[in-house]
Amino acid sequence: MGNELRESCMWSDTEVLHLHEYGQSQHRMIEGYGIIVLSSGKGEVRIGKQCWFAKSGSLLFVNPDRIARVTSVSGAPLTGYLVTFDIVRETETDGKRAVYMDRQSEWLTDGPIAVKAIRRAEFIAKELAMDATESSYRKQMKLGELLDLLPIRHEDSGDKSEPDWLEAVLTYMKGNYEEKISRESLALLSGFHPDYFSKQFKKETGLSYMEYLSKIRIDKAKQYLFLGDRNLNEIAQRIGYSDGLYLSRKFKQVVGISPSRYVHKPERIVVVELVGELLALGVKPIAASHSNSLGNLKLLHHELEDVIEIDNRLDQLHSFQPDLVIIPDCWGTAEIYRHLSSSVQIKVIPFDHPVRRLRELAETFNKREEMESLIAIYERKAKLIKEQLSDVIGPDETVGVYEIWQDEIWVFGNPSFGRGVFNLYESLGLNAPLAVKKAFADASLWYKNIILEDLPRFAADHMIISIYDEDGGRAHFDRITSSPIWRQLQAYRNGQIRMIEMNILHPGDLLSSVRQLDKIADVLLNPADGE
């Protein structure tokens, strides 16, 4: 048999990440190993099925056979580097060395890694990307220097880590809780006598192995219950209990209340971004955050009374001791889990079509009647306003939505991203300019940032414009409107420029959309003067 001698890391490639627009993404299948270093901007990094929020100064590790996707989530460009490498395993067979490029097992954990010398890591990654003529030897040296910055042995923390035997036991319990797990089988895994194993397990965790296993199972039962599964017998089978009666008894023993009371008790809910969807169903969170801030959600002012606003610093979440955290899938669930106890439920909602978002939350909270009632109200109102608009907007005319920021012009065409797009193009059946249709054929694009010279191509016959006043948007708008390009626009020449407050159009939930319809009808039926 061959004896393993050593492993060597061999540089493969370095890719530059440069995402110019909000919602733009870049992805790659990682066949070997990868290191992502972000040097500017903010983004979502998805590795396989896991997702993290990352920003300038973040470093993430990728194991083999993962798809790594980086998506920009801010107006500023997201830049960085993806360094890929292989691990060569040398073995000795019959006195001869044979080299295999076959290591595919996990080396470090996928996701963010704390690196003290992050700027040095960024500099090395940049050097690997920029110097195409550099020798492979030099690139190997630089890769080695980059890897030396990583906490390969996890010695960056002064905390005492779990013993290897305990880590193996806990991993097994969390991955096999639905099976019959005995003390003897866990003791065998640990390498200890069963009696000694029991003492050591409680010493390390503070719980007996059975108490720990019960906690794992009951936490999973909580998740099934909250997500709408009410059949205790079926849940019991999924988590390793014999029947629903036994599950009910264990549940009350661990949680302090019965499963039925747990389902109906008031929940301490914290929601990120999807606050409008919750309020539309009559579900009020204790705290919420929104990219436009709660104070700017003027269409939801009444419903938001007594809801505490938190910013997007995730470390705030644990202070509210929530039972449930609701987030869109463009946020990093793993980052949130890091700040919350294992008993907190995380509900991830796909951030796509506004009706689908509402429907999924309605299923979660058993609020189907409230959902159907709101949809019926919305459809009746949209039908009425569509008839009114047919008198002023011809069937071949176009309507566009634009925001003016400091040195930027944003165009919108994705119904998932608010700004009235769902109302205008889907419900009212209005036409987007051809250039907008082509740009947003890419469903991952949330908005398109254009320059003034491109405005005529993206301009519509009827233009709805908002201004971000807080950061130089008004001055930029004044420069735009004084330019010859603006004065040649058909909408300007025909008096079909419509101004609307940004905070009215910003949210994309269905409750806000119902109230937006009146505002949209008002600006389309009454063009602004003097703009």
Side-chain angles (χ1 to χ4, degrees):
M1 294 181 62
N3 297 314
E4 186 176 302
L5 294 181
R6 64 188 179 115
E7 292 179 334
S8 301
C9 297
M10 306 292 291
W11 175 83
S12 175
D13 188 25
T14 304
E15 181 177 342
V16 177
L17 305 173
H18 199 159
L19 306 176
H20 301 272
E21 298 174 342
Y22 198 112
Q24 187 179 1
S25 64
Q26 196 168 329
H27 71 278
R28 178 172 170 181
M29 178 68 183
I30 308 298
E31 295 179 353
Y33 297 83
I35 296 171
I36 298 171
V37 184
L38 298 186
S39 52
S40 69
K42 297 179 181 179
E44 173 194 279
V45 179
R46 186 178 295 272
I47 300 173
K49 295 182 178 180
Q50 299 185 81
C51 187
W52 296 269
F53 177 77
K55 60 183 180 179
S56 172
S58 296
L59 184 148
L60 300 94
F61 190 82
V62 189
N63 282 291
D65 299 325
R66 268 67 155 177
I67 294 177
R69 180 183 296 272
V70 181
T71 304
S72 174
V73 297
S74 74
L78 185 152
T79 62
Y81 307 93
L82 169 61
V83 179
T84 55
F85 61 97
D86 298 303
I87 294 183
V88 178
R89 175 172 294 165
E90 288 191 7
T91 61
E92 185 177 73
T93 305
D94 298 329
K96 297 180 179 179
R97 286 190 175 183
V99 177
Y100 300 93
M101 303 282 289
D102 63 349
R103 173 159 180 161
Q104 294 291 299
S105 57
E106 184 174 290
W107 198 39
L108 300 177
T109 303
D110 285 321
I113 294 178
V115 176
K116 293 181 180 179
I118 185 62
R119 293 306 168 198
R120 180 58 186 164
E122 178 189 332
F123 179 77
I124 296 170
K126 182 178 180 180
E127 283 192 321
L128 284 168
M130 297 306 174
D131 197 345
T133 62
E134 192 170 45
S135 68
S136 59
Y137 173 76
R138 291 290 301 168
K139 288 187 180 295
Q140 282 300 121
M141 294 289 289
K142 289 176 180 175
L143 174 65
E145 186 178 353
L146 177 60
L147 295 177
D148 284 342
L149 299 177
L150 306 186
I152 304 297
R153 294 181 177 83
H154 307 286
E155 294 172 347
D156 54 316
S157 172
D159 299 334
K160 182 180 178 181
S161 60
E162 292 174 349
D164 290 344
W165 68 266
L166 181 60
E167 182 179 356
V169 167
L170 296 182
T171 300
Y172 180 82
M173 293 170 75
K174 292 173 183 177
N176 298 276
Y177 58 85
E178 74 279 8
E179 305 291 339
K180 183 178 180 180
I181 298 178
S182 67
R183 184 180 73 152
E184 285 69 25
S185 64
L186 296 178
L188 184 63
L189 186 62
S190 71
F192 298 144
H193 183 277
D195 290 341
Y196 185 73
F197 163 76
S198 295
K199 292 179 181 178
Q200 291 300 111
F201 188 94
K202 188 161 188 175
K203 177 182 176 182
E204 293 289 345
T205 67
L207 300 172
S208 70
Y209 91 91
M210 185 53 72
E211 288 171 335
Y212 198 98
L213 181 58
S214 294
K215 184 177 183 301
I216 293 173
R217 287 170 169 166
I218 296 305
D219 283 347
K220 183 57 68 172
K222 285 181 181 180
Q223 185 174 4
Y224 284 127
L225 286 166
F226 196 83
L227 298 183
D229 196 332
R230 301 293 186 262
N231 190 314
L232 293 187
N233 283 323
E234 290 184 1
I235 295 175
Q237 293 295 323
R238 293 177 197 158
I239 65 173
Y241 289 146
S242 57
D243 54 51
L245 183 61
Y246 185 77
L247 166 60
S248 182
R249 190 161 64 245
K250 292 296 292 185
F251 193 98
K252 189 169 184 178
Q253 178 184 329
V254 173
V255 181
I257 58 175
S258 68
S260 59
R261 281 193 60 201
Y262 177 80
V263 170
H264 295 102
K265 77 181 182 75
E267 296 292 336
R268 293 179 61 81
I269 301 169
V270 174
V271 60
V272 174
E273 202 66 27
L274 299 169
V275 60
E277 285 80 357
L278 270 192
L279 296 172
L281 299 171
V283 179
K284 197 163 188 175
I286 60 169
S289 73
H290 194 277
S291 56
N292 197 34
S293 87
L294 300 190
N296 288 332
L297 299 180
K298 295 187 175 182
L299 298 178
L300 303 175
H301 177 72
H302 177 70
E303 289 83 0
L304 284 168
E305 187 176 352
D306 298 327
V307 176
I308 301 170
E309 179 162 18
I310 58 175
D311 62 25
N312 288 343
R313 291 194 353 259
L314 302 181
D315 57 349
Q316 283 192 339
L317 292 177
H318 77 280
S319 65
F320 289 94
Q321 299 181 328
D323 301 306
L324 173 71
V325 175
I326 298 173
I327 59 172
D329 64 356
C330 52
W331 274 62
T333 57
E335 179 68 11
I336 287 181
Y337 269 118
R338 188 169 67 84
H339 296 287
L340 301 172
S341 71
S342 60
S343 62
V344 177
Q345 306 306 317
I346 305 289
K347 176 65 176 176
V348 182
I349 303 294
F351 196 71
D352 54 11
H353 194 280
V355 175
R356 285 195 290 271
R357 297 198 300 255
L358 183 67
R359 192 176 300 280
E360 181 149 353
L361 281 169
E363 293 294 326
T364 297
F365 289 95
N366 195 22
K367 295 282 187 176
R368 298 175 189 86
E369 289 185 10
E370 289 85 346
M371 175 195 70
E372 296 298 344
S373 175
L374 180 62
I375 290 175
I377 292 171
Y378 176 79
E379 290 177 343
R380 286 197 300 270
K381 188 175 229 182
K383 181 179 179 181
L384 178 63
I385 290 176
K386 185 176 182 180
E387 292 172 356
Q388 295 174 355
L389 293 177
S390 64
D391 294 332
V392 297
I393 298 178
D396 297 325
E397 290 186 302
T398 59
V399 178
V401 185
Y402 313 84
E403 281 182 5
I404 309 301
W405 293 61
Q406 182 186 32
D407 301 323
E408 294 183 344
I409 304 172
W410 291 5
V411 183
F412 299 94
N414 187 332
S416 302
F417 196 57
R419 270 60 175 205
V421 171
F422 172 65
N423 278 331
L424 290 168
Y425 300 144
E426 293 202 17
S427 302
L428 300 178
L430 301 174
N431 299 314
L434 181 60
V436 173
K437 289 181 179 179
K438 288 182 177 179
F440 289 92
D442 177 5
S444 68
L445 185 65
W446 288 359
Y447 73 87
K448 185 166 183 64
N449 184 8
I450 64 171
I451 58 176
L452 178 59
E453 288 72 18
D454 286 335
L455 186 56
R457 188 161 57 92
F458 286 88
D461 297 310
H462 304 262
M463 298 176 65
I464 301 175
I465 297 177
S466 300
I467 301 172
Y468 185 63
D469 286 318
E470 297 180 20
D471 192 27
R474 174 61 62 176
H476 187 207
F477 180 68
D478 291 342
R479 294 195 299 273
I480 292 171
T481 55
S482 63
S483 72
I485 293 175
W486 174 265
R487 298 183 182 277
Q488 291 301 313
L489 296 178
Q490 198 70 28
Y492 172 80
R493 299 172 70 179
N494 292 338
Q496 301 297 342
I497 301 293
R498 281 91 154 120
M499 306 302 296
I500 192 168
E501 186 181 349
M502 180 183 289
N503 295 329
I504 298 297
L505 281 191
H506 188 285
D509 62 276
L510 202 63
L511 181 57
S512 295
S513 295
V514 170
R515 296 168 182 176
Q516 281 172 3
L517 283 170
D518 290 325
K519 306 292 185 180
I520 289 172
D522 183 56
V523 298
L524 288 175
L525 292 170
N526 301 287
D529 295 325
E531 297 287 0

